[in-house]
């Protein structure tokens, strides 16, 4: 029923995990099934990763709200247009979702990995959580999917773990790697040569593994020392450096 | 059938997530249901956290293999008996599991959170993965459960995240917190006064939240600045310091 008495819908931020559709939680499944609308971010011309992961679980009669990024290529983070254009895009996306909620439709926002860990969902959450009833379902993170795919226990006992974006300057990356037991380096892509050099300077190159498409079709796991010179890596691959072994 | 032709069982390391039984993945559920034996670590006199989480999903006819820690109290990590006694305990635990695998029984080792992230499962994995067919199911981590419970997006954009044990010396903890955007501090318990002081020195005390029993019954979420002086915290509570906000 629409009209002045319509109850607003609930905003759900639903972590769908790292890639394998079997890595959705029971709670995520319940949330997706309870919402008449699912929303997801996607690049132009692409079906969207989060949607692809949730696909086998989407109710037949649910409506899709596709939130398409304004860039077909990566704009560097230091380009002044980047934060401005992205903020506008997230504002507009939030209003699309709000329109559904105002109409009384609960919306499941599908999020790769865990919504609160580097997720785009947070830009909706920051804009809408004060205005609407909001629930978040944590998910298996992309990095958990990757270290499991690589069969690499990442931290034991009292290891320090540092999660770094590959966008950091090389000297900063290298000194942070030197001071940690375990490291996860995200946003690899064209940053790979810099990452490899930072790992060498920190004395950890031999320990590093690169995982592409962890838990997904086409998954690859390669020791960084076996990586072909000049071979490109996708932006969303991850480099892993396991911690010390603790108690054996 | 037993006998010389018996196939050995498969070792499964199954992440059961942070506490809410609905945060098990479909894959974890499938693994638990496929194994005639489930194993779990537990403290003396306690039912075991991982078992408690998986309880609603355990098959009726599955057998329990309880792996009981040799200490009823926490032995400090710097006590020389600690690594020695724990290594003996993990050796013996691995042999209990191996006996089931040798008899052809697959074993689901139930692990709180994610098996490869600070999990006790790894001590079995390190001892058995070379000898038996082994599969690991990643889970929603305890820290994801906690930041979701606290309704706290932990990292945006290119934040650096540092995961620290509360056992670190105060000066080291403080300097690590100063140099990170977001921090997760584990193993809180009696380290809480030290952690609070390290956060103050790093100028982040006002941003910190402490979560006990995230996603479980009895969950509490408290701003650290509202924490009563002298109130104890359980060892497995977590302190969260969210990152910068990135693009708004």
């Amino acid at each position: 029923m629409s009209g002045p008495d319509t109850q607003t819908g609930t905003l759900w931020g639903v972590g769908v995990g790292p890639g394998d559709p079997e890595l959705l939680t029971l709670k995520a499944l319940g949330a997706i099934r309870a919402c008449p609308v699912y929303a997801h971010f996607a690049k132009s011309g692409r079906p969207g990763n989060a949607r692809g992961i949730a696909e086998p679980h989407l109710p037949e009669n649910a409506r899709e709200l596709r939130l398409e990024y304004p860039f077909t290529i990566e704009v560097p983070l230091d380009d002044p247009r980047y934060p401005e254009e992205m903020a506008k895009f997230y504002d507009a996306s939030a209003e699309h979702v709000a329109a559904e909620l105002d109409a009384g439709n609960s919306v499941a926002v599908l999020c790769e990995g865990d919504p609160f860990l580097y997720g785009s969902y947070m830009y909706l959450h920051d804009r809408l959580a004060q205005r609407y009833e909001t629930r978040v379902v944590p998910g298996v993170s992309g990095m958990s999917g990757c270290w499991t795919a690589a069969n690499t226990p990442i931290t034991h006992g009292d290891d320090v773990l540092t999660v770094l974006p590959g966008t950091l300057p090389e000297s900063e990356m290298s000194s942070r790697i030197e001071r940690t037991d375990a490291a996860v380096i995200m946003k690899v892509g064209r940053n790979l040569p810099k990452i490899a050099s930072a790992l060498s300077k920190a004395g950890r190159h031999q320990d590093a593994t690169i995982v592409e498409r962890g838990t997904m079709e086409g998954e690859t796991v390669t020791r960084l020392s076996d990586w072909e010179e000049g071979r490109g890596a996708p932006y969303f691959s991850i480099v892993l450096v396991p911690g010390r072994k603790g108690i054996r």
Side-chain angles (χ1 to χ4, degrees), chain A:
Chain A
M1 293 283 290
S2 67
D5 294 333
T6 304
Q7 283 232 321
T8 56
T10 297
L11 172 65
W12 285 87
V14 181
V16 297
D20 179 344
E22 291 292 300
L23 291 175
L24 258 82
T25 64
L26 300 172
K27 198 162 197 164
L29 210 60
I32 290 170
R33 288 184 178 158
C35 292
V37 178
Y38 63 89
H40 65 99
F41 290 103
K43 288 186 183 169
S44 174
R46 304 273 185 87
N49 285 337
R51 188 191 185 287
I53 296 167
E55 172 98 57
H57 308 297
L58 295 171
E60 228 174 83
N61 53 353
R63 270 187 303 114
E64 177 176 0
L65 176 55
R66 184 181 156 90
L67 306 167
E68 192 171 295
Y69 286 111
F71 308 112
T72 53
I73 52 156
E74 286 165 26
V75 173
L77 283 169
D78 54 3
D79 187 310
R81 287 172 309 165
Y82 183 88
E84 209 177 288
E85 290 297 313
M86 290 303 278
K88 270 194 243 168
F89 167 65
Y90 290 127
D91 286 344
S93 297
E95 291 319 308
H96 289 307
V97 173
E100 292 287 353
L101 298 172
D102 286 334
N105 300 322
S106 292
V107 178
V109 181
L110 309 176
C111 316
E112 284 180 82
D114 181 71
F116 277 167
L117 183 68
Y118 300 105
S120 295
Y121 164 73
M122 292 189 290
Y123 301 111
L124 299 177
H125 188 87
D126 290 344
R127 286 164 172 80
L128 298 172
Q130 302 292 323
R131 290 162 57 192
Y132 299 95
E133 193 189 339
T134 301
R135 294 192 200 160
V136 175
V137 181
V140 176
S141 66
M143 61 181 96
S144 284
C146 287
W147 62 58
T148 305
N151 197 27
T152 298
I154 193 80
T155 48
H156 287 71
D158 59 350
D159 280 340
V160 171
L161 167 66
T162 306
V163 183
L164 303 167
T167 49
L168 288 179
E170 182 178 327
S171 60
E172 185 184 344
M173 195 185 302
S174 169
S175 73
R176 285 182 183 275
I177 294 166
E178 259 175 29
R179 286 195 301 255
T180 194
D181 300 306
V184 172
I185 307 166
M186 323 224 300
K187 301 188 177 176
V188 175
R190 61 183 161 189
N191 299 304
L192 185 57
K194 177 179 66 181
I195 294 167
S197 171
L199 283 162
S200 290
K201 282 181 186 146
R204 301 299 298 274
H205 190 279
Q206 289 299 316
D207 305 332
T209 297
I210 178 164
V211 182
E212 300 174 278
R213 303 186 56 77
T215 84
M216 282 176 265
E217 218 180 314
E219 168 188 297
T220 74
V221 175
T222 315
R223 287 176 59 97
L224 195 57
S225 52
D226 295 335
W227 192 262
E228 258 176 84
E229 187 104 18
R231 178 175 162 201
Y235 194 62
F236 285 108
S237 51
I238 282 183
V239 172
L240 302 170
V241 182
R244 300 169 300 167
K245 287 295 188 173
I247 298 150
R248 293 313 301 257

